Amino acid sequence: QVQLVESGGGLMQAGDSLRLSCAASGGSLSNYAMGWFRQAPGNEREFVAFISWSGFTTRYADSLEGRFTISRDNAENTVVLQMNSLKPEDTALYYCAAATSRFLRPQKSSSPYEYNYWGQGTQVTVSS
């Protein structure tokens, strides 16, 4: 069973960039399609980004307007979310997740129910 640990969160200013990492142990991330989600207080968990097990396919929430980039290094067992031009509305607890199916299709990747391994989250706070 894979364990996921997120890191890299912090208190930022609007317009800053931030890099979140998700490190895995107990299994190889190459066996999993991966996603990033976020949850702000009082809100439901929201899809942010998806990357296929190979890294060849990615998908992003439309609301991000191209500001975030997901990548992975299977050799290092890590997934990274690069966040640029941060906005106050990006403030949330950010989670990485490993999908139930290695071959999760991008069209289904935005549903949290497609993922069965989750990290504890890392807090990102953006002030205006």
Side-chain angles (χ1 to χ4, degrees), residues 3 33-34 40 57 64 77 87 97 119 127:
Q3 291 87 42
M34 298 293 295
T57 303
L64 298 178
N77 243 16
K87 301 178 180 181
S127 62

Side-chain angles (χ1 to χ4, degrees), residues 8-27:
L11 176 61
M12 311 301 292
Q13 298 283 332
D16 285 349
S17 295
L18 191 63
R19 183 175 183 268
L20 304 183
S21 293
C22 174
S25 60

Side-chain angles (χ1 to χ4, degrees), residues 21-117:
S21 293
C22 174
S25 60
S28 173
L29 275 188
S30 64
N31 292 324
Y32 300 92
M34 298 293 295
W36 282 94
F37 289 77
R38 65 187 182 184
Q39 189 167 17
N43 290 355
E44 294 186 352
R45 195 162 295 190
E46 174 188 25
F47 169 74
V48 174
F50 161 84
I51 188 165
S52 63
W53 71 269
S54 64
F56 289 158
T57 303
T58 58
R59 180 190 174 197
Y60 300 92
D62 292 339
S63 61
L64 298 178
E65 301 173 319
R67 297 181 295 115
F68 292 8
T69 302
I70 189 172
S71 61
R72 67 189 300 157
D73 185 335
N74 286 341
E76 294 293 326
N77 243 16
T78 58
V79 176
V80 169
L81 184 68
Q82 176 67 42
M83 305 188 296
N84 298 327
S85 302
L86 285 166
K87 301 178 180 181
E89 51 263 44
D90 294 321
T91 295
L93 189 60
Y94 282 72
Y95 299 91
C96 71
T100 306
S101 170
R102 186 188 194 198
F103 303 107
L104 178 64
R105 299 176 67 181
Q107 300 92 319
K108 300 181 69 176
S109 63
S110 61
S111 170
Y113 300 105
E114 297 292 339
Y115 301 81
N116 60 345
Y117 299 113

